[in-house]
Amino acid sequence: MRVNLRRIRAYGGQVGLLAVLGLVAALLLTAAPRLTGEYADRGLRADVARLPHLVRDVSLAGQRPAPVADGQADLDRYAAELPAPLPDLVHRRWYAASLDEEQLFAVGDEPPMDGGARKMFGLRAQTDVVEAAELTAGRWPRTRPGGPAEVVVSGSVAETLSLRAGQRLRFAGRDGQADAHIVGVFEPRDAGDPVWDDLGYALEPVVPVLDGEPYVVAGVTDWVGVDVVSAGSGVPAISGWRYRLDERRLHAQTLESVTAAVAEARRMSWSSQATVQTSLDGALSRFAGQLRAVQALLAVVQAGLVASLLGLIVLAARLTVLRRRDEFALLRARGAALTAIGLRTLAESAPVQPLAVLVGWFVGSRVPGRDGAFPWLVLALAVLTTAVVPVLAMHSQRRVAVVTGRADAAWRRPSARRLTVEAAVLLLAVLGVVLLRRRGLDPGAGVDAYLSSVPVLVAVAAALVAVRLLPWPLRAAGRLAARARGAVLFLGVARAGRGAPVALGPLAVLIVAVSTGVFGGVVTTTVAAARDRAATLTVPADAWLTGYTFSPDAGDALTGVSGVTAVARVWVDSNRRLVPDAGLPSRQIGTARVLVVDGPAFAEVVAHSGVEVDVPAALRAAARGDGPVPAVVSSEVATEIGDRAAVDVQGRLYEFRVAEVTDAFPGVGLGTERFVVLPWQALPEYEYTPIIPNRYLVAGDDIDEAQLLGVADDAQRRRQSAVLGAAVTRTQMPAALDTWRAYRADLDRTGANDVLTLAFTAGAVGGTALAVLAVGFSVVADAAGRGRMLSRLRTLGLSVGRGRRLLVYELVPLVLVAALTGAAVGVALPRILGPTLGLSAFVPGVPVRDHLDPLVLASVLGLVVLGLVTGLAVENLWNRRMRLGEVLRLGEENP
C-alpha cells in the first residue's frame, strides 16, 4: 500500500488530471438532468400561473333546478370525482350560480336607469365573495323567498349607473320581470384575487362608446336572489363549480398524467348535465412539446460534451502510458506478464479515480432538482476512469520490441483494421442522420443512445476526413516553405504534416467540442432571430399603446409626452364583416381582423423606432378618392374575395381593392390568418362619425411611461364623456403600454426557455473549455519529441522567440482546421437535423429560419487565438519542467 502511495505521488500530475476529468464528467452526468428537471418545473409553474382562469381552471357548468343553493353540496363531491391526480392538485374551489348579462336587462324609476342606453345586468352568487370584499355602504344580501332580490354592486358599477343602497330595480328577461333592491356597495380587497375572475363586469363595467351600444355590468346577490330573479324573468340560472389547480404541485414528470386526466375529465358524464370547460390540457400539451424539443437539444449538447470529456480521459490515459513506457518495457524485460502491469497500474488508479467520480456525483446531486434513477452512467464512468490506464498499459506492451516504429508515418500505410473502423464510423454517421430525420429524437419515448450520439458521430466522421486530407496541403505548403528564408517555418509546417495522424485524438476531441459550441450558438441565434420577428410583428415600433377608445385629438397630446418622437393612430378589431359590395350588406362572405393605419405616420414611426418593418407603398401612398381604397389582405381572405370587397369598420362599410397579399402584417397579431389592412388617410370620414382610434403606435427613447398612460387615460375619459354627455372619472379600460423590449424579454421567459438557455450555455461554455483542453493535450502529446528538437536547435543558435514561433507554425494547421471543421459541422447540424430539433415550439406564430450570427464566426476565430495562446502557455510550462538543456545528456526520452 505504501509503495502504491509513493507511485501515486510520483505520477501525481497524470493521476490528478484523470481524477479531475472524471469528477467533471460525473458532475455533468449528474447535474445536467437535475437542472433540466428543476428548470422545467419552474417554467411549467410560471406558464400555468400566467394562464387566464378560463384556461387554467377546471370548471363545470350546467343548469340545475331551484334552489341553486343545493349545488354547494356538489363542490367537494365533484372534486373527488375528478380523474387522478387532479384531486390532489386542487388548491381552491368555488361554487357559483349566475344569470347571463346578455339575457337580463335592468330598468328603474330614477335616472339614468329609467332611459338612455340599455343596461345589460348580470347577477351572480358565489362562495368566498363576502370574505374577498369590503362593504363601503349598506349590507350584504339576505333575500327572503318570494320577496325582491337583494343585490350589492361595486363602487365602479354604482358610479357608472348612479346606483345607491336602497334603490329599487327591475330585471327584465324573456318571460317577465323580477323586482330587486340595491342593499349595499362594496370594494374588492384585492382585485387580482381569483375569486373575482368571473365577476369582471362587476368590477369594471362596460360603457357605450357608439350610439346604440349598451352598458354591460354585473352585481352580486345571494342564492335565493338568483332563484327569485330567474323565476320572475325566465332567464335560466347557470350553476358552476370551479377548481383551481395549485401550480406549485405540478412537476414536469407528471405532465403527461395531468394532461391525460384533464382530457378525461372533459369526456366524463357528470350529473346535472354539467360539462367541463377548460383548455388546461392544451396548454400543458404545448409546454410538453417545448420540453420534448429542448430535451432533444440538451441530449445533443450533452452527448457532445460527454464525448469530448471521454475523449480527453482517453487522451490523458494515453499520455500517462506514453510517459511510463520505459518503466513498463523494463518490467516486461524482467519477465512481468501483461496482467502484472495491469494490476500494478490498477492499484494506483483504484484509490483515486472512483473517489473522484464519487465526489463529482455528490456535488452534482446537491444541485437543485429531482432525484433521478440509479446513476448507472456514473458507475460506468468510475469503471472507465479506473480501468483505462491499465487497459492501455497492457495494450502498449502486448509486443516487446527493441526499436519503436514511427507513428507519424501511419497515414502512409494505414492498416486494414484502421480503415475498416474509419469506414464504419462514416457509415454509422450517415445512417444515423437518415434515421434521425425520419424518426426524430423524442426523449419522452426513452433515450436512444445511438440517435442522441449522431451529431457526435458526424463530428468524428468530419475529423477522420480532415485527418486524411490535412497532410496533403501541408506537404505542398512544406515545399513552398522550403524555398523561404529561415528554417523555422519549414520545420513547423513539416512537423504539422508528419504529426497530423498522431494528433487524431486531440483533433477529434477538438472538432467535437467546437461543433458542440457552434451548434449551440447557431440554434441560439436562430431562435433569437425568430423571436425578434415575432416581437416586431406584435409590437412594430418602440411601444404599442392600447386602450378602449381614444379621443380623435389624442395624437397631439401623446406627442408632447417626454421621450416620444412620433405617434401613429391605429384602429384594430376582430371578427368584422366582409361583404362582396357595400350595397349588399346582407351577403356576408365571412369575418376578418381589420387594421386601419395611417400609412405615412405608420411608416414614420417605424423608421424612428429602427425596427425591421416594411410598410407597403400601397398603404403609404394611398389618398382619398372616389374608388375603393387599396388594402393589404391575407392569403386566405384574398382567395375568398377576389379583387375587391367591403369591410365593416365601426359600423360603416368601406369598399377596398386588393393591392397586396401577404401572410403576416405587423400589428395584426401572431397567428392571424384572416386580416385586412386599410389606409386611414384614404378612408372617407364624416364630421360627426369619425373613425375612433383604439391604439397608437409610439416611437421614442426613454419614454415617460407613467406620463404617457396618464395622457392616454385622459383622452379616453374625454371620448367617453362626449359619448355619454356627462363627465366620466373612470376609464372603460385603462390604457396599457407594451414595449418591444418588454415583449421580447417575455418571449425569453416563457415555456421551457430556462432549459433551452441551460443547453445553449452548457454547449457554448463547455465546448470552449474542452476545446482549449484538447489544444493543451495536442501540445503535450509530442512534447518530448519537440523538446529533443528544440534542444538540438538551441545548440545551433535558435532563440527562445523563434522556438515559440515554431510551435505556433506547428499548431496553426491543427487548431485552424479543427476550428473550421467543427464550425462547419456545428453550422450544418441544424440543417441536417431539420425539424427534429422542434425549434418552432419556442417561437409563437412565425416560421423558424436558419440564422448564422457573425458573432458566432467571430467566436470561432477567437477560439483559434485562444487555442494558440493556450498551446504556448502549456509549452512553456512543459519546457520548464523538462529542462531542455538536459534532454540531450539524459537520453532520447524525458526521464
Side-chain angles (χ1 to χ4, degrees):
M1 182 64 181
R2 189 173 300 174
V3 174
N4 291 338
L5 291 177
R6 285 201 300 268
R7 288 203 300 266
I8 292 174
R9 285 197 300 269
Y11 301 103
Q14 292 87 346
V15 175
L17 179 60
L18 266 178
V20 170
L21 291 174
L23 186 150
V24 173
L27 180 63
L28 176 64
L29 291 174
T30 306
R34 293 179 62 86
L35 281 176
T36 301
E38 177 68 14
Y39 288 162
D41 290 346
R42 292 181 188 176
L44 172 62
R45 294 162 186 165
D47 272 15
V48 172
R50 282 191 292 262
L51 293 175
H53 75 283
L54 294 176
V55 175
R56 67 164 294 178
D57 293 343
V58 180
S59 303
L60 286 81
Q63 295 184 13
R64 59 176 300 120
V68 294
D70 294 345
Q72 295 181 85
D74 296 329
L75 189 59
D76 294 333
R77 180 171 66 86
Y78 284 159
E81 292 178 1
L82 290 171
L86 298 184
D88 295 331
L89 298 176
V90 173
H91 174 51
R92 298 181 66 179
R93 62 195 74 189
W94 301 274
Y95 168 68
S98 60
L99 302 175
D100 189 5
E101 62 274 356
E102 294 186 358
Q103 303 180 50
L104 198 64
F105 301 91
V107 294
D109 299 328
E110 302 177 22
M113 300 299 297
D114 59 345
R118 293 180 302 162
K119 286 76 178 176
M120 300 170 61
F121 205 125
L123 284 180
R124 187 176 186 88
Q126 179 176 298
T127 58
D128 293 348
V129 168
V130 174
E131 293 78 10
E134 182 176 354
L135 284 173
T136 58
R139 59 177 176 81
W140 290 106
R142 294 192 296 270
T143 305
R144 291 178 294 178
E150 296 186 347
V151 179
V152 294
V153 295
S154 67
S156 179
V157 172
E159 180 182 350
T160 301
L161 298 182
S162 300
L163 299 176
R164 66 183 185 279
Q167 190 170 347
R168 296 177 180 271
L169 296 179
R170 292 186 303 276
F171 289 106
R174 60 186 182 184
D175 296 330
Q177 294 184 351
D179 293 331
H181 286 172
I182 302 297
V183 298
V185 179
F186 70 89
E187 291 292 345
R189 299 181 188 273
D190 179 10
D193 193 318
V195 72
W196 302 108
D197 286 342
D198 289 318
L199 284 163
Y201 292 138
L203 302 185
E204 294 294 337
V206 176
V207 300
V209 177
L210 302 175
D211 292 339
E213 291 186 348
Y215 290 90
V216 183
V217 300
V220 176
T221 184
D222 55 5
W223 311 114
V224 179
V226 172
D227 290 334
V228 168
V229 177
S230 177
S233 64
V235 177
I238 304 298
S239 294
W241 300 263
R242 183 158 68 101
Y243 302 95
R244 167 147 298 195
L245 306 185
D246 188 358
E247 69 275 5
R248 295 169 297 180
R249 305 178 195 174
L250 293 176
H251 300 282
Q253 282 184 325
T254 60
L255 192 58
E256 184 176 349
S257 61
V258 173
T259 305
V262 174
E264 182 183 351
R266 294 206 297 181
R267 295 190 297 265
M268 291 175 60
S269 298
W270 301 85
S271 59
S272 303
Q273 302 299 317
T275 58
V276 173
Q277 300 170 349
T278 183
S279 300
L280 181 61
D281 51 343
L284 295 180
S285 297
R286 287 190 295 272
F287 183 88
Q290 286 191 3
L291 189 58
R292 285 193 295 269
V294 77
Q295 285 176 338
L297 287 170
L298 189 61
V300 171
V301 172
Q302 190 174 10
L305 296 179
V306 170
S308 300
L309 278 171
L310 294 180
L312 290 176
I313 289 173
V314 173
L315 288 177
R318 183 171 177 270
L319 288 177
T320 300
V321 172
L322 288 176
R323 183 80 186 277
R324 301 176 62 180
R325 184 173 55 188
D326 291 345
E327 173 190 349
F328 297 149
L330 180 60
L331 291 175
R332 288 284 283 162
R334 291 177 176 177
L338 290 177
T339 54
I341 294 177
L343 292 175
R344 180 186 180 92
T345 51
L346 182 62
E348 301 167 6
S349 300
V352 179
Q353 305 306 332
L355 180 61
V357 172
L358 180 63
V359 171
W361 169 81
F362 178 80
V363 175
S365 62
R366 302 281 79 79
V367 170
R370 298 186 303 269
D371 292 331
F374 184 79
W376 293 105
L377 290 177
V378 175
L379 180 62
L381 178 65
V383 173
L384 171 66
T385 55
T386 304
V388 62
V389 172
V391 170
L392 291 180
M394 290 188 294
H395 182 268
S396 67
Q397 296 299 320
R398 68 189 187 279
R399 295 178 182 175
V400 180
V402 177
V403 180
T404 303
R406 289 186 57 185
D408 60 355
W411 65 275
R412 297 178 181 276
R413 48 181 183 281
S415 64
R417 181 169 55 187
R418 181 168 182 173
L419 291 176
T420 302
V421 171
E422 293 179 359
V425 172
L426 293 173
L427 181 61
L428 286 175
V430 174
L431 181 61
V433 170
V434 174
L435 291 177
L436 198 56
R437 290 182 65 88
R438 289 185 178 181
R439 295 174 49 187
L441 183 61
D442 184 6
V447 177
D448 191 319
Y450 172 54
L451 294 182
S452 298
S453 61
V454 166
V456 176
L457 290 174
V458 172
V460 173
L464 292 174
V465 174
V467 164
R468 288 299 168 195
L469 297 180
L470 181 59
W472 304 102
L474 288 179
R475 291 177 62 193
R479 287 193 292 268
L480 294 176
R483 303 176 184 178
R485 295 182 60 183
V488 176
L489 177 61
F490 170 74
L491 289 174
V493 174
R495 282 184 56 82
R498 289 195 302 268
V502 181
L504 173 59
L507 184 68
V509 173
L510 187 56
I511 289 177
V512 172
V514 173
S515 65
T516 301
V518 173
F519 169 76
V522 171
V523 175
T524 300
T525 57
T526 297
V527 173
R531 286 176 173 173
D532 288 344
R533 291 195 301 272
T536 300
L537 290 175
T538 305
V539 184
D542 291 324
W544 194 229
L545 181 65
T546 304
Y548 188 73
T549 178
F550 298 103
S551 60
D553 61 346
D556 295 335
L558 293 173
T559 306
V561 173
S562 175
V564 174
T565 57
V567 298
R569 55 182 179 172
V570 178
W571 179 82
V572 58
D573 198 8
S574 301
N575 299 322
R576 308 306 298 183
R577 288 186 303 138
L578 281 171
V579 297
D581 188 89
L584 301 171
S586 61
R587 291 183 55 190
Q588 182 172 328
I589 300 175
T591 61
R593 186 172 178 83
V594 178
L595 186 73
V596 181
V597 300
D598 189 337
F602 194 92
E604 181 184 0
V605 171
V606 167
H608 278 83
S609 300
V611 297
E612 296 182 3
V613 172
D614 182 20
V615 182
L619 296 179
R620 298 195 309 268
R624 194 166 296 171
D626 297 332
V629 299
V632 176
V633 302
S634 64
S635 304
E636 189 171 327
V637 171
T639 302
E640 293 183 359
I641 66 174
D643 295 333
R644 60 178 59 198
V647 66
D648 176 18
V649 176
Q650 294 185 353
R652 186 183 299 276
L653 291 175
Y654 291 91
E655 293 186 345
F656 65 89
R657 58 180 175 82
V658 177
E660 186 172 327
V661 179
T662 182
D663 292 329
F665 189 86
V668 169
L670 297 177
T672 304
E673 298 179 352
R674 299 176 58 84
F675 61 84
V676 177
V677 184
L678 301 176
W680 195 316
Q681 75 278 9
L683 297 178
E685 293 187 79
Y686 302 90
E687 181 180 357
Y688 297 104
T689 58
I691 300 175
I692 306 301
N694 58 5
R695 295 192 183 187
Y696 273 93
L697 201 63
V698 182
D701 297 325
D702 297 328
I703 299 173
D704 189 335
E705 296 188 12
Q707 182 185 3
L708 183 66
L709 293 176
V711 171
D713 284 336
D714 288 341
Q716 291 202 93
R717 284 189 288 268
R718 289 199 305 271
R719 175 58 188 171
Q720 294 174 20
S721 298
V723 172
L724 299 176
V728 174
T729 59
R730 291 175 178 264
T731 58
Q732 172 63 45
M733 182 178 73
L737 189 68
D738 296 321
T739 63
W740 190 95
R741 293 181 180 178
Y743 183 86
R744 179 63 180 83
D746 285 340
L747 291 180
D748 287 339
R749 288 193 293 264
T750 57
N753 192 76
D754 287 344
V755 189
L756 188 68
T757 303
L758 172 66
F760 296 154
T761 303
V765 176
T768 302
L770 295 178
V772 171
L773 283 176
V775 174
F777 275 109
S778 66
V779 173
V780 175
D782 196 27
R786 191 181 302 106
R788 293 193 301 272
M789 180 190 66
L790 288 177
S791 296
R792 296 187 180 101
L793 292 176
R794 290 279 180 85
T795 62
L796 300 177
L798 183 71
S799 64
V800 176
R802 290 186 178 182
R804 293 173 182 170
R805 196 182 308 167
L806 176 63
L807 175 63
V808 172
Y809 291 149
E810 184 178 341
L811 284 180
V812 163
L814 171 68
V815 177
L816 189 61
V817 168
L820 294 179
T821 304
V825 173
V827 171
L829 277 177
R831 292 175 171 83
I832 292 174
L833 301 180
T836 299
L837 297 177
L839 298 182
S840 58
F842 302 103
V843 183
V846 296
V848 178
R849 309 185 188 98
D850 292 331
H851 179 78
L852 180 59
D853 196 303
L855 291 177
V856 176
L857 299 179
S859 65
V860 174
L861 297 178
L863 183 61
V864 172
V865 176
L866 181 61
L868 294 177
V869 172
T870 302
L872 289 174
V874 172
E875 176 79 357
N876 288 336
L877 291 175
W878 194 266
N879 287 346
R880 290 178 182 178
R881 185 174 181 181
M882 286 198 312
R883 300 174 185 174
L884 292 178
E886 302 177 7
V887 169
L888 296 179
R889 299 196 307 269
L890 293 175
E892 289 297 316
E893 297 295 338
N894 187 37

